[in-house]
mmCIF file of all heavy atoms in Angstrom:
data_model
loop_
_atom_site.group_PDB
_atom_site.id
_atom_site.type_symbol
_atom_site.label_atom_id
_atom_site.label_comp_id
_atom_site.label_asym_id
_atom_site.label_seq_id
_atom_site.Cartn_x
_atom_site.Cartn_y
_atom_site.Cartn_z
ATOM 1 N N GLY A 12 2.485 0.638 11.638
ATOM 2 C CA GLY A 12 2.058 -0.636 12.213
ATOM 3 C C GLY A 12 2.719 -0.924 13.574
ATOM 4 O O GLY A 12 2.093 -1.308 14.565
ATOM 5 N N ALA A 13 4.041 -0.674 13.636
ATOM 6 C CA ALA A 13 4.762 -0.826 14.855
ATOM 7 C C ALA A 13 4.307 0.137 15.889
ATOM 8 O O ALA A 13 4.259 -0.150 17.050
ATOM 9 C CB ALA A 13 6.231 -0.609 14.595
ATOM 10 N N THR A 14 3.834 1.355 15.522
ATOM 11 C CA THR A 14 3.272 2.263 16.388
ATOM 12 C C THR A 14 2.036 1.738 17.094
ATOM 13 O O THR A 14 1.837 1.869 18.304
ATOM 14 C CB THR A 14 2.950 3.621 15.678
ATOM 15 O OG1 THR A 14 4.050 4.121 15.051
ATOM 16 C CG2 THR A 14 2.370 4.624 16.637
ATOM 17 N N ALA A 15 1.187 1.066 16.289
ATOM 18 C CA ALA A 15 -0.059 0.521 16.865
ATOM 19 C C ALA A 15 0.306 -0.568 17.857
ATOM 20 O O ALA A 15 -0.285 -0.629 18.933
ATOM 21 C CB ALA A 15 -0.950 -0.039 15.750
ATOM 22 N N VAL A 16 1.239 -1.402 17.569
ATOM 23 C CA VAL A 16 1.661 -2.459 18.471
ATOM 24 C C VAL A 16 2.298 -1.848 19.721
ATOM 25 O O VAL A 16 1.979 -2.259 20.810
ATOM 26 C CB VAL A 16 2.712 -3.410 17.748
ATOM 27 C CG1 VAL A 16 3.280 -4.313 18.776
ATOM 28 C CG2 VAL A 16 2.035 -4.128 16.672
ATOM 29 N N ALA A 17 3.175 -0.869 19.536
ATOM 30 C CA ALA A 17 3.729 -0.221 20.734
ATOM 31 C C ALA A 17 2.663 0.460 21.635
ATOM 32 O O ALA A 17 2.740 0.349 22.860
ATOM 33 C CB ALA A 17 4.770 0.826 20.325
ATOM 34 N N SER A 18 1.670 1.045 20.992
ATOM 35 C CA SER A 18 0.645 1.626 21.774
ATOM 36 C C SER A 18 -0.215 0.651 22.554
ATOM 37 O O SER A 18 -0.584 0.782 23.616
ATOM 38 C CB SER A 18 -0.262 2.477 20.828
ATOM 39 O OG SER A 18 -1.368 2.954 21.541
ATOM 40 N N ALA A 19 -0.488 -0.488 21.804
ATOM 41 C CA ALA A 19 -1.381 -1.514 22.432
ATOM 42 C C ALA A 19 -0.642 -2.192 23.582
ATOM 43 O O ALA A 19 -1.253 -2.634 24.502
ATOM 44 C CB ALA A 19 -1.729 -2.527 21.371
ATOM 45 N N THR A 20 0.716 -2.295 23.454
ATOM 46 C CA THR A 20 1.458 -2.905 24.540
ATOM 47 C C THR A 20 1.851 -1.978 25.657
ATOM 48 O O THR A 20 2.277 -2.386 26.739
ATOM 49 C CB THR A 20 2.725 -3.636 24.004
ATOM 50 O OG1 THR A 20 3.506 -2.677 23.402
ATOM 51 C CG2 THR A 20 2.328 -4.711 23.035
ATOM 52 N N ASN A 21 1.727 -0.678 25.438
ATOM 53 C CA ASN A 21 2.087 0.261 26.463
ATOM 54 C C ASN A 21 0.972 1.197 26.722
ATOM 55 O O ASN A 21 0.983 2.383 26.327
ATOM 56 C CB ASN A 21 3.348 1.042 26.015
ATOM 57 C CG ASN A 21 3.888 1.940 27.074
ATOM 58 O OD1 ASN A 21 3.459 1.914 28.224
ATOM 59 N ND2 ASN A 21 4.810 2.866 26.715
ATOM 60 N N ALA A 22 -0.052 0.790 27.344
ATOM 61 C CA ALA A 22 -1.251 1.573 27.603
ATOM 62 C C ALA A 22 -1.008 2.678 28.594
ATOM 63 O O ALA A 22 -1.656 3.682 28.679
ATOM 64 C CB ALA A 22 -2.444 0.722 28.128
ATOM 65 N N ASP A 23 -0.046 2.446 29.543
ATOM 66 C CA ASP A 23 0.279 3.467 30.504
ATOM 67 C C ASP A 23 1.495 4.282 30.104
ATOM 68 O O ASP A 23 2.693 3.938 30.463
ATOM 69 C CB ASP A 23 0.606 2.789 31.926
ATOM 70 C CG ASP A 23 -0.576 2.026 32.384
ATOM 71 O OD1 ASP A 23 -1.741 2.553 32.212
ATOM 72 O OD2 ASP A 23 -0.458 0.892 32.939
ATOM 73 N N ALA A 24 1.255 5.331 29.306
ATOM 74 C CA ALA A 24 2.363 6.145 28.803
ATOM 75 C C ALA A 24 2.836 7.085 29.938
ATOM 76 O O ALA A 24 2.094 7.371 30.910
ATOM 77 C CB ALA A 24 1.900 6.991 27.580
ATOM 78 N N ALA A 25 4.069 7.493 29.850
ATOM 79 C CA ALA A 25 4.638 8.391 30.850
ATOM 80 C C ALA A 25 3.988 9.706 30.820
ATOM 81 O O ALA A 25 3.417 10.227 29.825
ATOM 82 C CB ALA A 25 6.145 8.520 30.581
ATOM 83 N N ASP A 26 3.980 10.420 31.960
ATOM 84 C CA ASP A 26 3.363 11.784 32.095
ATOM 85 C C ASP A 26 4.103 12.683 31.199
ATOM 86 O O ASP A 26 5.369 12.723 31.125
ATOM 87 C CB ASP A 26 3.441 12.190 33.564
ATOM 88 C CG ASP A 26 2.735 13.499 33.784
ATOM 89 O OD1 ASP A 26 1.672 13.731 33.139
ATOM 90 O OD2 ASP A 26 3.278 14.268 34.587
ATOM 91 N N GLU A 27 3.363 13.616 30.540
ATOM 92 C CA GLU A 27 3.978 14.529 29.603
ATOM 93 C C GLU A 27 4.925 15.518 30.317
ATOM 94 O O GLU A 27 5.763 16.150 29.685
ATOM 95 C CB GLU A 27 2.897 15.323 28.798
ATOM 96 C CG GLU A 27 2.155 14.410 27.858
ATOM 97 C CD GLU A 27 3.043 13.943 26.685
ATOM 98 O OE1 GLU A 27 3.940 14.736 26.233
ATOM 99 O OE2 GLU A 27 2.876 12.804 26.293
ATOM 100 N N SER A 28 4.698 15.794 31.582
ATOM 101 C CA SER A 28 5.493 16.813 32.297
ATOM 102 C C SER A 28 6.896 16.310 32.669
ATOM 103 O O SER A 28 7.686 17.120 33.058
ATOM 104 C CB SER A 28 4.759 17.247 33.509
ATOM 105 O OG SER A 28 4.586 16.111 34.399
ATOM 106 N N GLU A 29 7.156 15.006 32.560
ATOM 107 C CA GLU A 29 8.424 14.444 32.950
ATOM 108 C C GLU A 29 9.492 14.857 31.865
ATOM 109 O O GLU A 29 9.198 14.877 30.710
ATOM 110 C CB GLU A 29 8.405 12.971 33.024
ATOM 111 C CG GLU A 29 7.519 12.474 34.182
ATOM 112 C CD GLU A 29 7.446 10.982 34.222
ATOM 113 O OE1 GLU A 29 8.225 10.363 33.511
ATOM 114 O OE2 GLU A 29 6.643 10.426 34.974
ATOM 115 N N GLU A 30 10.690 15.044 32.293
ATOM 116 C CA GLU A 30 11.757 15.414 31.362
ATOM 117 C C GLU A 30 12.155 14.100 30.586
ATOM 118 O O GLU A 30 12.252 13.016 31.147
ATOM 119 C CB GLU A 30 13.036 15.914 32.172
ATOM 120 C CG GLU A 30 14.080 16.412 31.174
ATOM 121 C CD GLU A 30 15.213 16.985 31.981
ATOM 122 O OE1 GLU A 30 14.929 17.713 32.961
ATOM 123 O OE2 GLU A 30 16.375 16.823 31.569
ATOM 124 N N ARG A 31 12.377 14.269 29.263
ATOM 125 C CA ARG A 31 12.640 13.123 28.469
ATOM 126 C C ARG A 31 14.228 12.969 28.226
ATOM 127 O O ARG A 31 14.877 13.955 27.896
ATOM 128 C CB ARG A 31 11.962 13.319 27.088
ATOM 129 C CG ARG A 31 10.528 13.482 27.127
ATOM 130 C CD ARG A 31 9.878 12.210 27.503
ATOM 131 N NE ARG A 31 8.401 12.482 27.453
ATOM 132 C CZ ARG A 31 7.586 12.014 28.293
ATOM 133 N NH1 ARG A 31 8.002 11.251 29.324
ATOM 134 N NH2 ARG A 31 6.265 12.234 28.222
ATOM 135 N N PRO A 32 14.730 11.832 28.316
ATOM 136 C CA PRO A 32 16.149 11.538 27.988
ATOM 137 C C PRO A 32 16.353 11.683 26.476
ATOM 138 O O PRO A 32 15.525 11.372 25.666
ATOM 139 C CB PRO A 32 16.406 10.177 28.457
ATOM 140 C CG PRO A 32 15.088 9.462 28.535
ATOM 141 C CD PRO A 32 14.072 10.563 28.755
ATOM 142 N N THR A 33 17.555 12.182 26.117
ATOM 143 C CA THR A 33 17.843 12.354 24.697
ATOM 144 C C THR A 33 19.013 11.515 24.192
ATOM 145 O O THR A 33 19.332 11.525 23.059
ATOM 146 C CB THR A 33 18.095 13.885 24.425
ATOM 147 O OG1 THR A 33 19.229 14.215 25.286
ATOM 148 C CG2 THR A 33 16.955 14.742 24.658
ATOM 149 N N GLU A 34 19.602 10.722 25.101
ATOM 150 C CA GLU A 34 20.679 9.902 24.626
ATOM 151 C C GLU A 34 20.245 8.662 23.888
ATOM 152 O O GLU A 34 19.183 8.112 24.182
ATOM 153 C CB GLU A 34 21.451 9.408 25.900
ATOM 154 C CG GLU A 34 22.124 10.510 26.715
ATOM 155 C CD GLU A 34 21.690 10.403 28.083
ATOM 156 O OE1 GLU A 34 21.321 9.339 28.569
ATOM 157 O OE2 GLU A 34 21.758 11.478 28.772
ATOM 158 N N PRO A 35 21.059 8.210 22.995
ATOM 159 C CA PRO A 35 20.656 6.916 22.262
ATOM 160 C C PRO A 35 20.526 5.790 23.281
ATOM 161 O O PRO A 35 21.242 5.663 24.254
ATOM 162 C CB PRO A 35 21.825 6.658 21.345
ATOM 163 C CG PRO A 35 22.555 7.980 21.175
ATOM 164 C CD PRO A 35 22.266 8.731 22.512
ATOM 165 N N GLY A 36 19.563 4.917 23.042
ATOM 166 C CA GLY A 36 19.297 3.823 23.928
ATOM 167 C C GLY A 36 18.449 4.168 25.134
ATOM 168 O O GLY A 36 18.086 3.321 25.922
ATOM 169 N N ALA A 37 18.070 5.460 25.275
ATOM 170 C CA ALA A 37 17.253 5.947 26.456
ATOM 171 C C ALA A 37 15.831 5.986 26.093
ATOM 172 O O ALA A 37 15.025 6.563 26.805
ATOM 173 C CB ALA A 37 17.756 7.249 26.937
ATOM 174 N N THR A 38 15.391 5.369 24.950
ATOM 175 C CA THR A 38 13.960 5.431 24.483
ATOM 176 C C THR A 38 13.088 4.639 25.382
ATOM 177 O O THR A 38 11.862 4.810 25.282
ATOM 178 C CB THR A 38 13.854 4.977 23.096
ATOM 179 O OG1 THR A 38 14.379 3.663 22.952
ATOM 180 C CG2 THR A 38 14.631 5.896 22.132
ATOM 181 N N ALA A 39 13.576 3.812 26.266
ATOM 182 C CA ALA A 39 12.615 3.006 27.120
ATOM 183 C C ALA A 39 11.811 3.869 28.009
ATOM 184 O O ALA A 39 10.705 3.520 28.428
ATOM 185 C CB ALA A 39 13.500 1.981 27.971
ATOM 186 N N GLU A 40 12.274 5.083 28.345
ATOM 187 C CA GLU A 40 11.530 5.978 29.228
ATOM 188 C C GLU A 40 10.683 6.954 28.418
ATOM 189 O O GLU A 40 9.971 7.739 29.075
ATOM 190 C CB GLU A 40 12.584 6.701 30.115
ATOM 191 C CG GLU A 40 13.289 5.798 31.064
ATOM 192 C CD GLU A 40 14.231 6.582 31.894
ATOM 193 O OE1 GLU A 40 14.086 7.769 32.063
ATOM 194 O OE2 GLU A 40 15.221 5.987 32.392
ATOM 195 N N LEU A 41 10.717 6.957 27.113
ATOM 196 C CA LEU A 41 9.990 7.863 26.244
ATOM 197 C C LEU A 41 8.522 7.261 26.147
ATOM 198 O O LEU A 41 8.308 6.051 26.267
ATOM 199 C CB LEU A 41 10.558 7.984 24.898
ATOM 200 C CG LEU A 41 11.911 8.596 24.855
ATOM 201 C CD1 LEU A 41 12.492 8.597 23.393
ATOM 202 C CD2 LEU A 41 11.940 10.007 25.374
ATOM 203 N N ASP A 42 7.593 8.193 25.787
ATOM 204 C CA ASP A 42 6.282 7.609 25.488
ATOM 205 C C ASP A 42 6.321 7.013 24.088
ATOM 206 O O ASP A 42 7.355 7.226 23.321
ATOM 207 C CB ASP A 42 5.210 8.705 25.584
ATOM 208 C CG ASP A 42 5.274 9.768 24.484
ATOM 209 O OD1 ASP A 42 6.379 9.941 23.841
ATOM 210 O OD2 ASP A 42 4.284 10.389 24.208
ATOM 211 N N PRO A 43 5.389 6.222 23.653
ATOM 212 C CA PRO A 43 5.503 5.433 22.407
ATOM 213 C C PRO A 43 5.700 6.339 21.197
ATOM 214 O O PRO A 43 6.489 5.978 20.300
ATOM 215 C CB PRO A 43 4.153 4.717 22.276
ATOM 216 C CG PRO A 43 3.707 4.557 23.768
ATOM 217 C CD PRO A 43 4.200 5.774 24.478
ATOM 218 N N ALA A 44 5.053 7.527 21.091
ATOM 219 C CA ALA A 44 5.216 8.331 19.927
ATOM 220 C C ALA A 44 6.686 8.865 19.831
ATOM 221 O O ALA A 44 7.267 8.811 18.753
ATOM 222 C CB ALA A 44 4.255 9.525 19.971
ATOM 223 N N GLU A 45 7.235 9.306 20.915
ATOM 224 C CA GLU A 45 8.563 9.805 20.916
ATOM 225 C C GLU A 45 9.560 8.671 20.678
ATOM 226 O O GLU A 45 10.615 8.856 20.018
ATOM 227 C CB GLU A 45 8.847 10.510 22.278
ATOM 228 C CG GLU A 45 8.152 11.879 22.352
ATOM 229 C CD GLU A 45 8.384 12.512 23.705
ATOM 230 O OE1 GLU A 45 9.258 12.037 24.468
ATOM 231 O OE2 GLU A 45 7.772 13.506 23.964
ATOM 232 N N ALA A 46 9.295 7.525 21.181
ATOM 233 C CA ALA A 46 10.227 6.380 20.961
ATOM 234 C C ALA A 46 10.254 5.994 19.500
ATOM 235 O O ALA A 46 11.315 5.717 18.984
ATOM 236 C CB ALA A 46 9.759 5.132 21.855
ATOM 237 N N LEU A 47 9.099 5.915 18.897
ATOM 238 C CA LEU A 47 9.049 5.558 17.463
ATOM 239 C C LEU A 47 9.696 6.656 16.583
ATOM 240 O O LEU A 47 10.386 6.343 15.649
ATOM 241 C CB LEU A 47 7.624 5.263 17.048
ATOM 242 C CG LEU A 47 7.071 3.891 17.553
ATOM 243 C CD1 LEU A 47 5.587 3.862 17.495
ATOM 244 C CD2 LEU A 47 7.748 2.834 16.880
ATOM 245 N N LEU A 48 9.414 7.914 16.885
ATOM 246 C CA LEU A 48 10.033 8.944 16.209
ATOM 247 C C LEU A 48 11.603 8.966 16.402
ATOM 248 O O LEU A 48 12.371 9.153 15.366
ATOM 249 C CB LEU A 48 9.523 10.316 16.604
ATOM 250 C CG LEU A 48 9.923 11.501 15.765
ATOM 251 C CD1 LEU A 48 9.511 11.350 14.304
ATOM 252 C CD2 LEU A 48 9.482 12.787 16.314
ATOM 253 N N ALA A 49 12.017 8.625 17.560
ATOM 254 C CA ALA A 49 13.440 8.470 17.824
ATOM 255 C C ALA A 49 14.042 7.323 16.933
ATOM 256 O O ALA A 49 15.183 7.449 16.421
ATOM 257 C CB ALA A 49 13.785 8.214 19.324
ATOM 258 N N TYR A 50 13.261 6.263 16.826
ATOM 259 C CA TYR A 50 13.714 5.148 15.946
ATOM 260 C C TYR A 50 13.866 5.625 14.501
ATOM 261 O O TYR A 50 14.884 5.277 13.830
ATOM 262 C CB TYR A 50 12.762 3.983 16.028
ATOM 263 C CG TYR A 50 13.042 2.865 15.045
ATOM 264 C CD1 TYR A 50 13.985 1.867 15.353
ATOM 265 C CD2 TYR A 50 12.385 2.809 13.859
ATOM 266 C CE1 TYR A 50 14.286 0.848 14.494
ATOM 267 C CE2 TYR A 50 12.686 1.821 12.914
ATOM 268 C CZ TYR A 50 13.639 0.854 13.263
ATOM 269 O OH TYR A 50 13.912 -0.158 12.385
ATOM 270 N N VAL A 51 12.840 6.374 14.004
ATOM 271 C CA VAL A 51 12.906 6.839 12.669
ATOM 272 C C VAL A 51 14.103 7.808 12.488
ATOM 273 O O VAL A 51 14.854 7.656 11.477
ATOM 274 C CB VAL A 51 11.572 7.598 12.316
ATOM 275 C CG1 VAL A 51 11.667 8.318 10.962
ATOM 276 C CG2 VAL A 51 10.373 6.654 12.273
ATOM 277 N N VAL A 52 14.333 8.683 13.414
ATOM 278 C CA VAL A 52 15.466 9.610 13.290
ATOM 279 C C VAL A 52 16.763 8.853 13.343
ATOM 280 O O VAL A 52 17.677 9.168 12.595
ATOM 281 C CB VAL A 52 15.377 10.668 14.485
ATOM 282 C CG1 VAL A 52 16.635 11.462 14.493
ATOM 283 C CG2 VAL A 52 14.193 11.566 14.180
ATOM 284 N N ALA A 53 16.893 7.851 14.212
ATOM 285 C CA ALA A 53 18.161 7.110 14.330
ATOM 286 C C ALA A 53 18.468 6.321 13.058
ATOM 287 O O ALA A 53 19.617 6.270 12.670
ATOM 288 C CB ALA A 53 18.043 6.138 15.499
ATOM 289 N N ASN A 54 17.490 5.837 12.363
ATOM 290 C CA ASN A 54 17.696 5.005 11.177
ATOM 291 C C ASN A 54 17.639 5.786 9.843
ATOM 292 O O ASN A 54 18.271 5.435 8.913
ATOM 293 C CB ASN A 54 16.687 3.855 11.111
ATOM 294 C CG ASN A 54 17.073 2.811 12.154
ATOM 295 O OD1 ASN A 54 18.064 2.123 12.050
ATOM 296 N ND2 ASN A 54 16.294 2.757 13.260
ATOM 297 N N TYR A 55 16.744 6.860 9.845
ATOM 298 C CA TYR A 55 16.565 7.568 8.517
ATOM 299 C C TYR A 55 16.654 9.068 8.696
ATOM 300 O O TYR A 55 16.241 9.776 7.782
ATOM 301 C CB TYR A 55 15.173 7.189 7.985
ATOM 302 C CG TYR A 55 14.888 5.728 7.967
ATOM 303 C CD1 TYR A 55 14.083 5.109 8.947
ATOM 304 C CD2 TYR A 55 15.415 4.943 6.966
ATOM 305 C CE1 TYR A 55 13.814 3.733 8.866
ATOM 306 C CE2 TYR A 55 15.196 3.567 6.892
ATOM 307 C CZ TYR A 55 14.417 3.007 7.877
ATOM 308 O OH TYR A 55 14.139 1.657 7.812
ATOM 309 N N GLY A 56 17.140 9.553 9.815
ATOM 310 C CA GLY A 56 17.204 10.978 10.075
ATOM 311 C C GLY A 56 17.887 11.772 9.050
ATOM 312 O O GLY A 56 17.514 12.919 8.764
ATOM 313 N N ASP A 57 18.894 11.234 8.406
ATOM 314 C CA ASP A 57 19.686 11.968 7.363
ATOM 315 C C ASP A 57 18.812 12.215 6.080
ATOM 316 O O ASP A 57 19.201 12.979 5.276
ATOM 317 C CB ASP A 57 20.976 11.282 7.026
ATOM 318 C CG ASP A 57 20.759 9.869 6.523
ATOM 319 O OD1 ASP A 57 19.773 9.266 6.932
ATOM 320 O OD2 ASP A 57 21.574 9.386 5.775
ATOM 321 N N ARG A 58 17.751 11.554 5.993
ATOM 322 C CA ARG A 58 16.922 11.620 4.791
ATOM 323 C C ARG A 58 15.696 12.581 4.957
ATOM 324 O O ARG A 58 15.034 12.795 3.990
ATOM 325 C CB ARG A 58 16.278 10.280 4.422
ATOM 326 C CG ARG A 58 17.360 9.244 4.182
ATOM 327 C CD ARG A 58 16.720 7.889 3.916
ATOM 328 N NE ARG A 58 17.716 6.833 3.844
ATOM 329 C CZ ARG A 58 17.418 5.624 3.662
ATOM 330 N NH1 ARG A 58 16.168 5.215 3.463
ATOM 331 N NH2 ARG A 58 18.354 4.667 3.620
ATOM 332 N N PHE A 59 15.579 13.133 6.130
ATOM 333 C CA PHE A 59 14.380 13.947 6.409
ATOM 334 C C PHE A 59 14.708 15.369 6.767
ATOM 335 O O PHE A 59 15.689 15.612 7.397
ATOM 336 C CB PHE A 59 13.561 13.353 7.567
ATOM 337 C CG PHE A 59 12.923 12.006 7.251
ATOM 338 C CD1 PHE A 59 13.329 10.923 7.993
ATOM 339 C CD2 PHE A 59 11.977 11.896 6.273
ATOM 340 C CE1 PHE A 59 12.812 9.682 7.689
ATOM 341 C CE2 PHE A 59 11.431 10.638 5.973
ATOM 342 C CZ PHE A 59 11.869 9.558 6.703
ATOM 343 N N GLU A 60 13.839 16.286 6.375
ATOM 344 C CA GLU A 60 13.876 17.671 6.823
ATOM 345 C C GLU A 60 13.001 17.786 8.114
ATOM 346 O O GLU A 60 12.330 16.826 8.422
ATOM 347 C CB GLU A 60 13.284 18.595 5.767
ATOM 348 C CG GLU A 60 13.917 18.464 4.399
ATOM 349 C CD GLU A 60 15.205 19.270 4.376
ATOM 350 O OE1 GLU A 60 15.316 20.284 4.990
ATOM 351 O OE2 GLU A 60 16.113 18.874 3.545
ATOM 352 N N ASP A 61 13.092 18.878 8.811
ATOM 353 C CA ASP A 61 12.297 19.034 9.991
ATOM 354 C C ASP A 61 10.814 18.924 9.756
ATOM 355 O O ASP A 61 10.035 18.375 10.501
ATOM 356 C CB ASP A 61 12.604 20.376 10.685
ATOM 357 C CG ASP A 61 13.983 20.434 11.325
ATOM 358 O OD1 ASP A 61 14.492 19.290 11.666
ATOM 359 O OD2 ASP A 61 14.504 21.441 11.576
ATOM 360 N N GLU A 62 10.373 19.465 8.547
ATOM 361 C CA GLU A 62 8.963 19.408 8.176
ATOM 362 C C GLU A 62 8.430 17.992 7.987
ATOM 363 O O GLU A 62 7.431 17.620 8.294
ATOM 364 C CB GLU A 62 8.725 20.244 6.919
ATOM 365 C CG GLU A 62 8.971 21.731 7.002
ATOM 366 C CD GLU A 62 10.457 22.067 6.793
ATOM 367 O OE1 GLU A 62 11.228 21.289 6.103
ATOM 368 O OE2 GLU A 62 10.919 23.025 7.381
ATOM 369 N N ASP A 63 9.403 17.146 7.395
ATOM 370 C CA ASP A 63 9.052 15.761 7.226
ATOM 371 C C ASP A 63 8.827 15.035 8.556
ATOM 372 O O ASP A 63 7.957 14.248 8.721
ATOM 373 C CB ASP A 63 10.126 15.008 6.434
ATOM 374 C CG ASP A 63 10.348 15.573 5.026
ATOM 375 O OD1 ASP A 63 9.369 15.999 4.483
ATOM 376 O OD2 ASP A 63 11.461 15.502 4.569
ATOM 377 N N LEU A 64 9.775 15.388 9.483
ATOM 378 C CA LEU A 64 9.639 14.729 10.816
ATOM 379 C C LEU A 64 8.360 15.176 11.547
ATOM 380 O O LEU A 64 7.740 14.398 12.255
ATOM 381 C CB LEU A 64 10.836 15.050 11.705
ATOM 382 C CG LEU A 64 12.156 14.403 11.185
ATOM 383 C CD1 LEU A 64 13.338 14.857 11.990
ATOM 384 C CD2 LEU A 64 12.006 12.908 11.186
ATOM 385 N N ASP A 65 7.919 16.398 11.299
ATOM 386 C CA ASP A 65 6.673 16.882 11.874
ATOM 387 C C ASP A 65 5.505 16.075 11.302
ATOM 388 O O ASP A 65 4.589 15.639 11.998
ATOM 389 C CB ASP A 65 6.431 18.363 11.572
ATOM 390 C CG ASP A 65 7.402 19.247 12.341
ATOM 391 O OD1 ASP A 65 7.918 18.804 13.433
ATOM 392 O OD2 ASP A 65 7.612 20.400 11.999
ATOM 393 N N VAL A 66 5.506 15.802 10.000
ATOM 394 C CA VAL A 66 4.474 14.971 9.382
ATOM 395 C C VAL A 66 4.520 13.531 9.917
ATOM 396 O O VAL A 66 3.421 12.993 10.212
ATOM 397 C CB VAL A 66 4.634 15.014 7.827
ATOM 398 C CG1 VAL A 66 3.693 14.026 7.196
ATOM 399 C CG2 VAL A 66 4.378 16.403 7.330
#
Side-chain angles (χ1 to χ4, degrees):
T14 302
V16 170
S18 174
T20 59
N21 187 9
D23 298 322
D26 183 38
E27 290 295 322
S28 63
E29 294 178 10
E30 187 175 323
R31 306 285 185 224
T33 56
E34 296 127 23
T38 57
E40 296 179 20
L41 297 176
D42 72 336
E45 291 179 5
L47 287 164
L48 188 61
Y50 174 82
V51 171
V52 170
N54 287 289
Y55 309 104
D57 59 332
R58 301 179 188 179
F59 295 116
E60 304 280 330
D61 288 340
E62 297 83 27
D63 296 329
L64 292 175
D65 290 339
V66 170

